[in-house]
Amino acid sequence: KNEVEQSPQNLTAQEGEFITINCSYSVGISALHWLQQHPGGGIVSLFMLSSGKKKHGRLIATINIQEKHSSLHITASHPRDSAVYICAVRLVGGATNKLIFGTGTLLAVQP
Amino acid sequence: GAGVSQSPRYKVAKRGQDVALRCDPISGHVSLFWYQQALGQGPEFLTYFQNEAQLDKSGLPSDRFFAERPEGSVSTLKIQRTQQEDSAVYLCASSIQQGINEKLFFGSGTQLSVL
């Protein structure tokens, strides 16, 4: 069993829909990252969370430390949001910023 | 440059060939990470440098894999006697400090195909 699980693995949405991607983890963490990866492109860091909620534009990320769960929400989705969204965690007590990654959620937003 | 730069962007190697992958981190970034991403999978940690010191190489899959960062800036990941299972995207990431929650900046990766 992976230490970081994401759901769904694949998601197709219509433009304008509200999207939720979930991440659950089984280890103690000090921080959780949400990352975006476009096909053939590099990875872009969207959020870094250790508690609560963060918002940037149409993106919202929440984390519940007690339940070991985080969600990434996209409001008013757009085709340019199509990408792989990856959840990654940093283990508590870790000496470095080494991350453990989920397998990603492939999002396709159709016009 | 403004971001993390990796070269080559694509590399095709014959089985048994040695390859070298280069990473130019953002200038001044202390921490540098190498990750391996197999098709359809999330990245997996390979190794970590703080300046020129390789502090963690626990993710290197075999002794065929070797990484260096001799002057604390550019890093090279070398794979000797490549095998088909080495085919993956190799990602480099850097952060400005070794702090616990520093933002990571990723390169676009080198896609290695071993035939």
Side-chain angles (χ1 to χ4, degrees):
Chain A
K1 188 181 189 302
N2 291 334
E3 293 165 304
V4 181
E5 298 270 359
Q6 288 185 235
S7 64
Q9 288 189 321
N10 296 280
L11 179 58
T12 300
Q14 295 297 314
E15 183 173 357
E17 284 186 5
F18 180 84
I19 290 165
T20 296
I21 300 171
N22 296 299
C23 176
S24 297
Y25 50 91
S26 58
V27 293
I29 70 167
S30 62
L32 182 144
H33 297 248
W34 280 104
L35 306 157
Q36 180 192 58
Q37 186 174 31
H38 283 280
I43 294 176
V44 175
S45 177
L46 299 175
F47 294 104
M48 187 167 52
L49 294 164
S50 55
S51 64
K53 175 180 175 180
K54 286 190 176 180
K55 184 177 189 293
H56 185 260
R58 295 181 294 106
L59 302 178
I60 302 167
T62 64
I63 188 169
N64 185 317
I65 296 294
Q66 287 73 31
E67 294 185 3
K68 295 188 175 180
H69 180 269
S70 176
S71 293
L72 176 68
H73 305 286
I74 305 175
T75 62
S77 59
H78 189 276
R80 64 175 175 267
D81 297 326
S82 299
V84 175
Y85 291 84
I86 305 173
C87 169
V89 302
R90 181 181 179 277
L91 299 181
V92 66
T96 73
N97 206 3
K98 178 173 80 173
L99 299 177
I100 298 174
F101 289 76
T103 54
T105 294
L106 176 59
L107 171 65
V109 181
Q110 297 178 342
Chain B
V4 178
S5 177
Q6 291 188 245
S7 61
R9 187 74 178 85
Y10 302 94
K11 176 68 178 177
V12 178
K14 292 183 179 179
R15 190 163 58 93
Q17 184 179 349
D18 297 349
V19 298
L21 312 180
R22 178 187 169 105
C23 172
D24 282 84
I26 294 173
S27 179
H29 277 200
V30 167
S31 296
L32 185 146
F33 300 81
W34 283 98
Y35 289 89
Q36 180 191 57
Q37 186 175 22
L39 187 65
Q41 301 295 314
E44 293 197 4
F45 171 80
L46 292 176
T47 187
Y48 161 70
F49 289 86
Q50 183 180 339
N51 294 310
E52 70 279 3
Q54 189 175 19
L55 299 186
D56 188 344
K57 55 182 180 180
S58 61
L60 296 177
S62 78
D63 59 6
R64 296 186 295 104
F65 286 70
F66 172 76
E68 61 183 6
R69 194 186 184 196
E71 297 179 0
S73 55
V74 171
S75 178
T76 304
L77 176 67
K78 297 179 180 177
I79 308 174
Q80 297 177 325
R81 305 181 303 281
T82 52
Q83 302 295 317
Q84 285 188 322
E85 61 263 28
D86 300 334
S87 296
V89 174
Y90 290 84
L91 294 164
C92 176
S94 69
S95 64
I96 192 164
Q97 291 181 359
Q98 191 260 322
I100 61 170
N101 285 325
E102 292 294 337
K103 183 176 179 179
L104 277 176
F105 295 82
F106 285 82
S108 297
T110 293
Q111 184 172 329
L112 173 64
S113 299
V114 181
L115 306 179

